[in-house]
Amino acid sequence: MELEPKKVLRNRWNILRTICDEWRDKEWWYTGCYDAAGDFYVSWYFVRTNLADQFVMSVFDPKMPEPVHWSKKLFTNRKIPPNELSLNYKCGKTRIAYNGAFREQFNGVADPVDPTDGAWKFEIQSKRFEGQIDMKPTIPFFTKFDYKIQDRYGLMHFFHNRANGVIRANGKEYVLKDALTYYDHCWGRVPSKTGWHWLAVQNENVALASLVNYGAYSQLYTQVYLTDAISKSPRKNEWVRLDQAVSFEFQKKDKWSQTWHVTSPDMNLAVTLFQRKTDKTWIPFFIDLLHTEVYVKASGVVRVDGVWVETGDMFGVMEEHKGFW
């Protein structure tokens, strides 16, 4: 079964299909690049619905008072070719292009035929950002498919990608050199009224993602990848699914001024928050969302086949999302 042809929006202009079958379907892509030398995090994501698309980009730099942030409602290209990443938009002086090709044969286990086959290029020219980033995968992606009778959801996540390039924002240049990069593609029908917490962090030897969606038909996953350098791990160089009963916890009233704890029977992580931004998306009668993205550091232990393993400091993103869409 090929993954990428499982698109949500096969033809967004087919009004009959949209009304009868695909009205609540959505599709989204997220990318986050952590540059250790520069101590900054660059992210962008596309959300695609039958009503409209949205693009959001941010640079999180703890040396600056707040993140640089830009969002835009738009329409990306109508169709995406099979086995390709192809998200393009051009209007006046604004240009956004995210393109690449990769093989994605899936044989029932989270192990693609060649994790290094394929790469992506991101280019942007806008009032807030300009630059180009080239990315290359290095390890297999993992997948998760949920079928909750009324709602269905699929995803594929790439960690340990390498990014090189430059982004200019507010007069400052951010140069990425072999930056650790995360990429995902998700598609499906999720509950209209929903909320989630999500964590995606990594270092040179560990990658970890955890989602708790609090909707009526919840999506849950926690996956970890440990390289040969983690000597205590009984399972190396493969994605391991951990217990999905995860709690995202904080203690003080002001949740953004403290360390969070992300815990389960197989995981105990302390999450330090560096910088955050919140988007509000509102379209009367259709969308009312608050989406907070936080640049974070996480560290602690995970349990793989009964063995507790220290993760070391991992960097990446935590999200809180709530509302109606």
Side-chain angles (χ1 to χ4, degrees):
M1 177 176 65
E2 291 194 23
L3 287 175
E4 274 303 282
K6 292 174 67 66
K7 292 286 187 298
V8 171
L9 304 174
R10 296 182 292 272
N11 185 341
R12 70 189 316 152
W13 302 115
N14 188 323
I15 302 301
L16 182 61
R17 176 185 289 165
T18 296
I19 293 174
C20 296
D21 183 46
E22 297 182 352
W23 177 247
R24 293 198 296 114
D25 290 356
K26 301 167 183 71
E27 190 169 18
W28 53 99
W29 299 258
Y30 179 93
T31 306
C33 309
Y34 167 66
D35 189 272
D39 186 24
F40 63 85
Y41 182 82
V42 178
S43 74
W44 61 90
Y45 60 89
F46 297 82
V47 178
R48 192 175 190 185
T49 71
N50 282 289
L51 187 66
D53 301 341
Q54 182 160 348
F55 172 79
V56 179
M57 185 168 184
S58 305
V59 173
F60 297 87
D61 181 356
K63 299 180 289 297
M64 304 297 287
E66 59 185 18
V68 185
H69 171 61
W70 182 62
S71 65
K72 183 175 181 59
K73 290 183 176 62
L74 45 77
F75 283 99
T76 53
N77 43 307
R78 193 170 104 180
K79 290 186 177 181
I80 297 178
N83 300 316
E84 290 187 25
L85 171 68
S86 179
L87 297 166
N88 295 281
Y89 170 82
K90 186 175 182 181
C91 182
K93 296 182 178 180
T94 299
R95 178 175 180 266
I96 303 167
Y98 198 12
N99 294 282
F102 43 94
R103 293 161 61 192
E104 293 184 327
Q105 298 295 326
F106 181 67
N107 299 314
V109 294
D111 187 9
V113 290
D114 184 354
T116 63
D117 181 15
W120 312 283
K121 175 176 286 188
F122 174 73
E123 300 170 271
I124 186 167
Q125 179 71 48
S126 70
K127 62 181 181 181
R128 191 65 59 89
F129 296 102
E130 65 175 24
Q132 175 182 308
I133 299 175
D134 295 293
M135 289 150 284
K136 184 79 173 178
T138 65
I139 66 172
F141 57 82
F142 79 80
T143 60
K144 177 74 189 297
F145 300 100
D146 286 311
Y147 175 57
K148 300 295 179 69
I149 308 300
Q150 297 187 48
D151 297 300
R152 59 188 182 272
Y153 175 80
L155 61 86
M156 63 175 194
H157 286 10
F158 285 86
F159 280 84
H160 282 186
N161 309 298
R162 293 295 181 175
N164 291 276
V166 60
I167 292 293
R168 299 173 187 87
N170 280 6
K172 188 170 181 179
E173 191 170 82
Y174 293 91
V175 178
L176 298 100
K177 295 182 178 179
D178 284 334
L180 274 175
T181 297
Y182 166 85
Y183 164 84
D184 70 33
H185 178 201
C186 308
W187 60 92
R189 181 174 298 173
V190 298
S192 295
K193 186 176 182 180
T194 190
W196 68 66
H197 285 117
W198 174 62
L199 181 71
V201 289
Q202 59 187 324
N203 57 33
E204 297 289 340
N205 300 309
V206 182
L208 182 143
S210 184
L211 173 79
V212 178
N213 188 312
Y214 308 107
Y217 298 90
S218 60
Q219 294 86 42
L220 302 167
Y221 63 78
T222 297
Q223 304 266 155
V224 68
Y225 185 98
L226 305 168
T227 71
D228 288 329
I230 306 299
S231 59
K232 286 185 63 176
S233 174
R235 296 172 65 182
K236 301 174 184 178
N237 302 319
E238 65 175 298
W239 283 105
V240 179
R241 183 165 294 175
L242 305 183
D243 194 295
Q244 298 180 142
V246 175
S247 295
F248 283 72
E249 304 172 56
F250 58 89
Q251 295 180 350
K252 300 176 185 177
K253 186 175 181 180
D254 181 4
K255 60 186 173 183
W256 303 122
S257 67
Q258 61 187 291
T259 297
W260 286 48
H261 294 275
V262 180
T263 62
S264 79
D266 289 336
M267 177 172 62
N268 192 332
L269 300 178
V271 181
T272 303
L273 317 183
F274 292 135
Q275 219 173 30
R276 65 181 170 89
K277 56 88 180 171
T278 298
D279 291 306
K280 180 174 176 61
T281 303
W282 184 72
I283 299 175
F285 307 110
F286 291 103
I287 299 175
D288 187 3
L289 291 175
L290 281 177
H291 184 88
T292 299
E293 182 181 3
V294 193
Y295 167 41
V296 301
K297 176 182 72 175
S299 61
V301 292
V302 295
R303 182 169 61 176
V304 177
D305 291 354
V307 178
W308 287 100
V309 178
E310 293 187 5
T311 65
D313 290 343
M314 303 175 290
F315 295 84
V317 63
M318 185 176 78
E319 286 186 353
E320 180 176 273
H321 173 101
K322 58 183 178 180
F324 176 87
W325 62 344

